[in-house]
Amino acid sequence: MDTLEQQFDVRYRYRVHLTEDALAPENDLLARTLAADRAARPRVLVAVDRGVLAAQADLAARVESYARTHALDLVDAPLVLPGGETGKNEPRHLERVLAAIERGGICRHSYVVGIGGGALLDLVGFAAAQAHRGVRMVRLPTTVLAQCDAAVGVKTGINAFGKKNFLGSFAPPWAVINDLRFLDSLSVRDWRAGIAEAVKVALVKDAAFFERLERDAERLLHRDRGAMRALIAHAARLHLEHIARGGDPFETGSARPLDFGHWAAHKLEQLSDYRLRHGEAVAIGIALDATYSRLAGWLADDAHERILALLERFGFELDVPELGEGGLLAGLDEFREHLGGELTITLLGAIGRGFEVHAMDEERVRASIDRVRARPGSGSGQPAARPCASGAER
Ligand SMILES: NC(=O)c1ccc[n+]([C@@H]2O[C@H](COP(=O)([O-])OP(=O)(O)OC[C@H]3O[C@@H](n4cnc5c(N)ncnc54)[C@H](O)[C@@H]3O)[C@@H](O)[C@H]2O)c1
Ligand SMILES: [Zn+2]
């Protein structure tokens, strides 16, 4: 039998920009991003998150006026999609994006621009990855979580069969434009939720960043733009570095260090019927796996206390009913199945130092749940601190 061997590398390159007011007529960053082929008028389909539109009523008009100023060929009025998990849970929204791409004649040299939270970008990105086997996608993330984590990476996806991100693809974006102005209308909840992903990446990779988050906690709670800008810039950088230099950008192995705390988080989101935001569930997952690391003797007591205290300072509710209902442990096997191969969970040896294990002791997981639930302030159902905010609580 003859055997031919095939091997090639594909190089990806994309930029993650941090700007203010990307849709202001004088800000030409987005226009330059869409002018890569120097086509006279780049064809563009814009998809927007209904939650952003509700909070920033002039958004569609700003998009249309920007397109006129910069000679972009908007193939249609912006496509409005539900924000949050609804868009990822109901397959008809994926069809709607695909139909809009088809109707608009978007080709592989045209662009889909997504404006919204991590969920909207996952949905639109997945559609863009499928149409014509992949059309260019520019992401304009509008939440803290998406700007520092979800939008800067290479993954897209929607939920199916009751499982998070069951359908999806690895599809690097054409570019990411983080616009701090979008964050102005975020609810207190979503401002806070994204901070959990920054705490996560600090814990597994960067002790100095964790210390900075401790120092900046008050400013972040008071919605200080400078502190948030620094958080987003650094967390995004750590995510990008991991993808580029971690040796496994498309996650073919079983390890996924940036998913620290996520085995529990994904299951809690599902068990709560998506009442919990991803970031809120991640905060609980971090608390559980830090506590597990403490109970196993890998993480020092004072480090464990600092981690839980910081999460509490940010106002995360660490005790939720789903923790007491059983069912969480099934998240371990679902996580293993999602990653493939052997169970691989990241735990903490110290603040800033994650390491991997391939088995979790169920009794110790239960003890971790009990320890987290028993913390003063976590059982009240009330966040430990109430951040001041300019955005309304929704
Ligand atoms: N692809 C990845 O690598 C990756 C990584 C992390 C998380 N995620 C996914 O991201 C999702 C979570 O994203 P998220 O935390 O950004 O929340 P989200 O997308 O669920 O949005 C939360 C809510 O905020 C609203 N919203 C968004 N921007 C707003 C703004 N500027 N003003 C007012 N309201 C606004 C939305 O309409 C929604 O109601 C989850 O589905 C998670 O699985 C993906
Ligand atoms: Zn996450």
CSV table of all heavy atoms in Angstrom, one decimal, residues 159-202:
chain,number,residue,atom,x,y,z
A,159,ASN,N,-24.5,26.5,22.3
A,159,ASN,CA,-24.9,25.4,23.1
A,159,ASN,C,-25.8,24.5,22.4
A,159,ASN,O,-26.6,24.9,21.6
A,159,ASN,CB,-25.6,25.9,24.4
A,159,ASN,CG,-24.8,27.1,25.1
A,159,ASN,OD1,-23.5,27.1,25.0
A,159,ASN,ND2,-25.5,28.0,25.7
A,160,ALA,N,-25.7,23.2,22.7
A,160,ALA,CA,-26.6,22.2,22.1
A,160,ALA,C,-26.7,21.0,23.1
A,160,ALA,O,-25.8,20.7,23.8
A,160,ALA,CB,-26.1,21.8,20.8
A,161,PHE,N,-27.8,20.3,23.0
A,161,PHE,CA,-28.1,19.1,23.9
A,161,PHE,C,-27.9,19.5,25.3
A,161,PHE,O,-27.4,18.7,26.1
A,161,PHE,CB,-27.1,17.9,23.5
A,161,PHE,CG,-27.2,17.6,22.0
A,161,PHE,CD1,-26.2,17.9,21.1
A,161,PHE,CD2,-28.4,17.0,21.5
A,161,PHE,CE1,-26.3,17.6,19.8
A,161,PHE,CE2,-28.5,16.7,20.1
A,161,PHE,CZ,-27.4,17.0,19.3
A,162,GLY,N,-28.2,20.7,25.7
A,162,GLY,CA,-28.0,21.1,27.1
A,162,GLY,C,-26.6,21.3,27.5
A,162,GLY,O,-26.3,21.4,28.7
A,163,LYS,N,-25.7,21.3,26.6
A,163,LYS,CA,-24.2,21.4,26.9
A,163,LYS,C,-23.7,22.7,26.4
A,163,LYS,O,-23.9,23.0,25.2
A,163,LYS,CB,-23.4,20.2,26.4
A,163,LYS,CG,-23.8,18.9,27.1
A,163,LYS,CD,-23.0,17.7,26.6
A,163,LYS,CE,-23.4,16.5,27.4
A,163,LYS,NZ,-22.9,15.2,26.9
A,164,LYS,N,-22.9,23.4,27.2
A,164,LYS,CA,-22.2,24.6,26.8
A,164,LYS,C,-21.3,24.4,25.7
A,164,LYS,O,-20.5,23.4,25.7
A,164,LYS,CB,-21.4,25.1,28.0
A,164,LYS,CG,-22.1,26.0,29.0
A,164,LYS,CD,-22.4,27.4,28.5
A,164,LYS,CE,-21.2,28.3,28.5
A,164,LYS,NZ,-21.6,29.7,28.3
A,165,ASN,N,-21.4,25.2,24.7
A,165,ASN,CA,-20.4,25.2,23.6
A,165,ASN,C,-20.2,23.9,22.9
A,165,ASN,O,-19.1,23.5,22.5
A,165,ASN,CB,-19.0,25.7,24.1
A,165,ASN,CG,-19.1,27.1,24.7
A,165,ASN,OD1,-19.9,27.9,24.3
A,165,ASN,ND2,-18.3,27.4,25.7
A,166,PHE,N,-21.3,23.1,22.9
A,166,PHE,CA,-21.2,21.7,22.3
A,166,PHE,C,-20.9,21.8,20.8
A,166,PHE,O,-20.1,21.0,20.2
A,166,PHE,CB,-22.5,21.0,22.5
A,166,PHE,CG,-22.4,19.6,22.0
A,166,PHE,CD1,-21.8,18.6,22.8
A,166,PHE,CD2,-22.9,19.2,20.7
A,166,PHE,CE1,-21.7,17.3,22.3
A,166,PHE,CE2,-22.8,17.9,20.3
A,166,PHE,CZ,-22.2,16.9,21.1
A,167,LEU,N,-21.4,22.8,20.1
A,167,LEU,CA,-21.1,23.1,18.7
A,167,LEU,C,-20.2,24.3,18.6
A,167,LEU,O,-20.4,25.3,19.3
A,167,LEU,CB,-22.4,23.4,17.9
A,167,LEU,CG,-23.4,22.3,17.8
A,167,LEU,CD1,-24.7,22.8,17.1
A,167,LEU,CD2,-22.9,21.1,17.0
A,168,GLY,N,-19.2,24.2,17.8
A,168,GLY,CA,-18.3,25.3,17.7
A,168,GLY,C,-17.1,25.1,16.8
A,168,GLY,O,-17.0,24.0,16.2
A,169,SER,N,-16.3,26.0,16.7
A,169,SER,CA,-15.1,25.9,15.8
A,169,SER,C,-14.0,26.7,16.4
A,169,SER,O,-14.2,27.6,17.2
A,169,SER,CB,-15.5,26.5,14.4
A,169,SER,OG,-15.8,27.8,14.6
A,170,PHE,N,-12.8,26.4,15.9
A,170,PHE,CA,-11.6,27.3,16.2
A,170,PHE,C,-11.5,28.2,15.0
A,170,PHE,O,-11.3,27.7,13.9
A,170,PHE,CB,-10.4,26.4,16.4
A,170,PHE,CG,-10.4,25.7,17.7
A,170,PHE,CD1,-10.9,24.4,17.8
A,170,PHE,CD2,-10.0,26.3,18.8
A,170,PHE,CE1,-10.9,23.8,19.0
A,170,PHE,CE2,-10.0,25.7,20.1
A,170,PHE,CZ,-10.5,24.4,20.1
A,171,ALA,N,-11.8,29.4,15.2
A,171,ALA,CA,-11.8,30.4,14.0
A,171,ALA,C,-11.2,31.7,14.5
A,171,ALA,O,-12.0,32.5,15.1
A,171,ALA,CB,-13.2,30.5,13.5
A,172,PRO,N,-10.0,31.9,14.3
A,172,PRO,CA,-9.4,33.2,14.7
A,172,PRO,C,-10.1,34.4,14.0
A,172,PRO,O,-10.5,34.3,12.9
A,172,PRO,CB,-7.9,33.1,14.3
A,172,PRO,CG,-7.6,31.6,14.2
A,172,PRO,CD,-8.9,31.0,13.8
A,173,PRO,N,-10.3,35.5,14.7
A,173,PRO,CA,-10.9,36.6,14.1
A,173,PRO,C,-10.0,37.3,13.1
A,173,PRO,O,-8.8,37.2,13.1
A,173,PRO,CB,-11.2,37.6,15.3
A,173,PRO,CG,-10.1,37.2,16.3
A,173,PRO,CD,-9.8,35.8,16.1
A,174,TRP,N,-10.6,38.2,12.3
A,174,TRP,CA,-9.9,39.1,11.4
A,174,TRP,C,-9.2,40.1,12.3
A,174,TRP,O,-8.0,40.4,12.1
A,174,TRP,CB,-10.8,39.7,10.4
A,174,TRP,CG,-10.1,40.5,9.4
A,174,TRP,CD1,-10.0,41.9,9.4
A,174,TRP,CD2,-9.3,40.1,8.3
A,174,TRP,NE1,-9.2,42.3,8.3
A,174,TRP,CE2,-8.8,41.2,7.6
A,174,TRP,CE3,-9.1,38.8,7.8
A,174,TRP,CZ2,-8.0,41.1,6.5
A,174,TRP,CZ3,-8.3,38.7,6.6
A,174,TRP,CH2,-7.8,39.9,6.0
A,175,ALA,N,-9.9,40.6,13.3
A,175,ALA,CA,-9.4,41.6,14.2
A,175,ALA,C,-10.4,41.8,15.4
A,175,ALA,O,-11.5,41.4,15.2
A,175,ALA,CB,-9.2,43.0,13.5
A,176,VAL,N,-9.9,42.3,16.5
A,176,VAL,CA,-10.7,42.6,17.6
A,176,VAL,C,-10.5,44.1,18.0
A,176,VAL,O,-9.4,44.6,18.0
A,176,VAL,CB,-10.3,41.8,18.8
A,176,VAL,CG1,-11.2,42.0,20.0
A,176,VAL,CG2,-10.3,40.3,18.5
A,177,ILE,N,-11.6,44.8,18.2
A,177,ILE,CA,-11.5,46.2,18.5
A,177,ILE,C,-12.2,46.4,19.9
A,177,ILE,O,-13.5,46.3,20.0
A,177,ILE,CB,-12.1,47.1,17.5
A,177,ILE,CG1,-11.3,47.0,16.2
A,177,ILE,CG2,-12.1,48.6,17.9
A,177,ILE,CD1,-11.8,47.8,15.0
A,178,ASN,N,-11.5,46.5,20.9
A,178,ASN,CA,-12.0,46.8,22.3
A,178,ASN,C,-12.3,48.2,22.4
A,178,ASN,O,-11.3,49.1,22.4
A,178,ASN,CB,-11.0,46.3,23.3
A,178,ASN,CG,-11.0,44.8,23.5
A,178,ASN,OD1,-12.0,44.1,23.2
A,178,ASN,ND2,-10.0,44.3,24.1
A,179,ASP,N,-13.5,48.6,22.6
A,179,ASP,CA,-13.9,50.0,22.7
A,179,ASP,C,-14.4,50.2,24.1
A,179,ASP,O,-15.5,49.8,24.5
A,179,ASP,CB,-15.0,50.3,21.6
A,179,ASP,CG,-15.5,51.7,21.7
A,179,ASP,OD1,-15.1,52.5,22.7
A,179,ASP,OD2,-16.3,52.1,20.9
A,180,LEU,N,-13.7,51.0,24.9
A,180,LEU,CA,-14.1,51.2,26.3
A,180,LEU,C,-15.4,51.9,26.5
A,180,LEU,O,-16.1,51.7,27.4
A,180,LEU,CB,-13.0,52.0,27.1
A,180,LEU,CG,-11.7,51.2,27.3
A,180,LEU,CD1,-10.6,52.1,27.8
A,180,LEU,CD2,-11.9,50.0,28.2
A,181,ARG,N,-15.8,52.7,25.5
A,181,ARG,CA,-17.0,53.4,25.5
A,181,ARG,C,-18.2,52.5,25.7
A,181,ARG,O,-19.2,52.8,26.4
A,181,ARG,CB,-17.2,54.3,24.3
A,181,ARG,CG,-18.5,55.0,24.4
A,181,ARG,CD,-18.8,55.9,23.2
A,181,ARG,NE,-20.3,56.2,23.2
A,181,ARG,CZ,-20.9,57.1,22.5
A,181,ARG,NH1,-20.2,57.8,21.6
A,181,ARG,NH2,-22.2,57.2,22.5
A,182,PHE,N,-18.2,51.3,25.1
A,182,PHE,CA,-19.3,50.4,25.2
A,182,PHE,C,-19.6,50.0,26.7
A,182,PHE,O,-20.7,49.7,27.0
A,182,PHE,CB,-19.0,49.1,24.4
A,182,PHE,CG,-19.4,49.3,22.9
A,182,PHE,CD1,-18.4,49.1,21.9
A,182,PHE,CD2,-20.6,49.6,22.5
A,182,PHE,CE1,-18.7,49.3,20.6
A,182,PHE,CE2,-21.0,49.8,21.2
A,182,PHE,CZ,-20.0,49.6,20.2
A,183,LEU,N,-18.5,50.0,27.5
A,183,LEU,CA,-18.7,49.5,28.8
A,183,LEU,C,-19.5,50.4,29.7
A,183,LEU,O,-20.0,50.1,30.8
A,183,LEU,CB,-17.3,49.3,29.5
A,183,LEU,CG,-16.3,48.4,28.7
A,183,LEU,CD1,-15.0,48.2,29.5
A,183,LEU,CD2,-16.9,47.0,28.4
A,184,ASP,N,-19.7,51.7,29.2
A,184,ASP,CA,-20.4,52.7,30.0
A,184,ASP,C,-21.8,52.2,30.4
A,184,ASP,O,-22.3,52.6,31.4
A,184,ASP,CB,-20.5,54.0,29.3
A,184,ASP,CG,-19.1,54.7,29.2
A,184,ASP,OD1,-18.2,54.3,29.9
A,184,ASP,OD2,-19.0,55.6,28.4
A,185,SER,N,-22.4,51.5,29.5
A,185,SER,CA,-23.8,51.1,29.7
A,185,SER,C,-24.0,49.8,30.4
A,185,SER,O,-25.1,49.3,30.5
A,185,SER,CB,-24.6,51.2,28.4
A,185,SER,OG,-24.1,50.3,27.5
A,186,LEU,N,-22.9,49.1,30.7
A,186,LEU,CA,-23.0,47.8,31.3
A,186,LEU,C,-23.7,47.9,32.7
A,186,LEU,O,-23.4,48.8,33.5
A,186,LEU,CB,-21.6,47.2,31.6
A,186,LEU,CG,-20.9,46.4,30.4
A,186,LEU,CD1,-19.6,45.9,31.0
A,186,LEU,CD2,-21.8,45.3,30.0
A,187,SER,N,-24.4,46.8,33.0
A,187,SER,CA,-25.0,46.8,34.3
A,187,SER,C,-23.9,46.5,35.4
A,187,SER,O,-22.8,46.0,35.0
A,187,SER,CB,-26.0,45.6,34.4
A,187,SER,OG,-25.3,44.4,34.2
A,188,VAL,N,-24.2,46.7,36.6
A,188,VAL,CA,-23.2,46.4,37.7
A,188,VAL,C,-22.8,45.0,37.6
A,188,VAL,O,-21.6,44.6,37.7
A,188,VAL,CB,-23.9,46.7,39.1
A,188,VAL,CG1,-23.0,46.2,40.2
A,188,VAL,CG2,-24.2,48.1,39.2
A,189,ARG,N,-23.8,44.1,37.3
A,189,ARG,CA,-23.6,42.7,37.2
A,189,ARG,C,-22.5,42.3,36.2
A,189,ARG,O,-21.6,41.5,36.4
A,189,ARG,CB,-24.9,42.0,36.8
A,189,ARG,CG,-25.5,41.1,37.8
A,189,ARG,CD,-26.6,40.4,37.1
A,189,ARG,NE,-26.3,39.0,37.2
A,189,ARG,CZ,-27.2,38.1,36.8
A,189,ARG,NH1,-28.4,38.4,36.3
A,189,ARG,NH2,-26.8,36.8,36.9
A,190,ASP,N,-22.7,42.9,35.0
A,190,ASP,CA,-21.8,42.5,33.9
A,190,ASP,C,-20.5,43.2,34.0
A,190,ASP,O,-19.4,42.7,33.6
A,190,ASP,CB,-22.5,42.8,32.6
A,190,ASP,CG,-23.5,41.7,32.3
A,190,ASP,OD1,-23.2,40.5,32.3
A,190,ASP,OD2,-24.7,42.1,32.2
A,191,TRP,N,-20.4,44.4,34.6
A,191,TRP,CA,-19.1,45.0,34.9
A,191,TRP,C,-18.3,44.1,35.8
A,191,TRP,O,-17.1,43.8,35.5
A,191,TRP,CB,-19.4,46.4,35.5
A,191,TRP,CG,-18.2,47.1,36.0
A,191,TRP,CD1,-17.5,47.0,37.2
A,191,TRP,CD2,-17.4,48.1,35.2
A,191,TRP,NE1,-16.4,47.8,37.2
A,191,TRP,CE2,-16.3,48.5,36.0
A,191,TRP,CE3,-17.6,48.7,33.9
A,191,TRP,CZ2,-15.4,49.5,35.6
A,191,TRP,CZ3,-16.6,49.6,33.5
A,191,TRP,CH2,-15.6,50.0,34.3
A,192,ARG,N,-19.0,43.6,36.8
A,192,ARG,CA,-18.3,42.8,37.8
A,192,ARG,C,-17.9,41.4,37.2
A,192,ARG,O,-16.8,40.9,37.4
A,192,ARG,CB,-19.2,42.6,39.0
A,192,ARG,CG,-18.7,41.6,40.0
A,192,ARG,CD,-19.6,41.7,41.3
A,192,ARG,NE,-21.0,41.5,41.0
A,192,ARG,CZ,-22.0,42.1,41.6
A,192,ARG,NH1,-21.8,42.9,42.6
A,192,ARG,NH2,-23.3,41.8,41.3
A,193,ALA,N,-18.9,40.8,36.5
A,193,ALA,CA,-18.7,39.4,36.0
A,193,ALA,C,-17.4,39.2,35.2
A,193,ALA,O,-16.7,38.2,35.4
A,193,ALA,CB,-19.9,39.0,35.2
A,194,GLY,N,-17.1,40.2,34.4
A,194,GLY,CA,-15.9,40.0,33.6
A,194,GLY,C,-14.6,40.0,34.4
A,194,GLY,O,-13.6,39.5,34.0
A,195,ILE,N,-14.6,40.7,35.6
A,195,ILE,CA,-13.4,40.7,36.4
A,195,ILE,C,-13.0,39.3,36.8
A,195,ILE,O,-11.8,39.1,37.0
A,195,ILE,CB,-13.7,41.7,37.6
A,195,ILE,CG1,-13.9,43.1,37.1
A,195,ILE,CG2,-12.5,41.7,38.6
A,195,ILE,CD1,-14.3,44.1,38.2
A,196,ALA,N,-14.0,38.4,36.9
A,196,ALA,CA,-13.7,37.0,37.3
A,196,ALA,C,-12.6,36.4,36.4
A,196,ALA,O,-11.7,35.7,36.8
A,196,ALA,CB,-14.9,36.2,37.4
A,197,GLU,N,-12.7,36.7,35.1
A,197,GLU,CA,-11.8,36.1,34.1
A,197,GLU,C,-10.4,36.7,34.3
A,197,GLU,O,-9.4,36.0,34.1
A,197,GLU,CB,-12.3,36.2,32.7
A,197,GLU,CG,-13.6,35.6,32.3
A,197,GLU,CD,-13.5,34.1,32.1
A,197,GLU,OE1,-12.5,33.4,32.4
A,197,GLU,OE2,-14.5,33.5,31.5
A,198,ALA,N,-10.3,37.9,34.7
A,198,ALA,CA,-9.0,38.5,34.9
A,198,ALA,C,-8.4,37.9,36.2
A,198,ALA,O,-7.2,37.6,36.2
A,198,ALA,CB,-9.1,40.0,35.1
A,199,VAL,N,-9.2,37.7,37.2
A,199,VAL,CA,-8.7,37.0,38.4
A,199,VAL,C,-8.2,35.6,38.1
A,199,VAL,O,-7.1,35.2,38.5
A,199,VAL,CB,-9.8,36.9,39.5
A,199,VAL,CG1,-9.4,36.1,40.7
A,199,VAL,CG2,-10.3,38.3,40.0
A,200,LYS,N,-9.0,34.9,37.2
A,200,LYS,CA,-8.6,33.6,36.8
A,200,LYS,C,-7.2,33.5,36.2
A,200,LYS,O,-6.4,32.7,36.5
A,200,LYS,CB,-9.7,33.0,35.9
A,200,LYS,CG,-9.3,31.7,35.1
A,200,LYS,CD,-10.0,31.6,33.8
A,200,LYS,CE,-9.4,32.6,32.8
A,200,LYS,NZ,-10.0,32.5,31.4
A,201,VAL,N,-7.0,34.4,35.2
A,201,VAL,CA,-5.8,34.3,34.4
A,201,VAL,C,-4.6,34.8,35.3
A,201,VAL,O,-3.5,34.2,35.2
A,201,VAL,CB,-5.9,35.0,33.1
A,201,VAL,CG1,-5.9,36.5,33.2
A,201,VAL,CG2,-4.8,34.6,32.1
A,202,ALA,N,-4.9,35.7,36.2
A,202,ALA,CA,-3.9,36.1,37.1
A,202,ALA,C,-3.5,35.0,38.0
A,202,ALA,O,-2.3,34.7,38.3
A,202,ALA,CB,-4.4,37.3,38.0
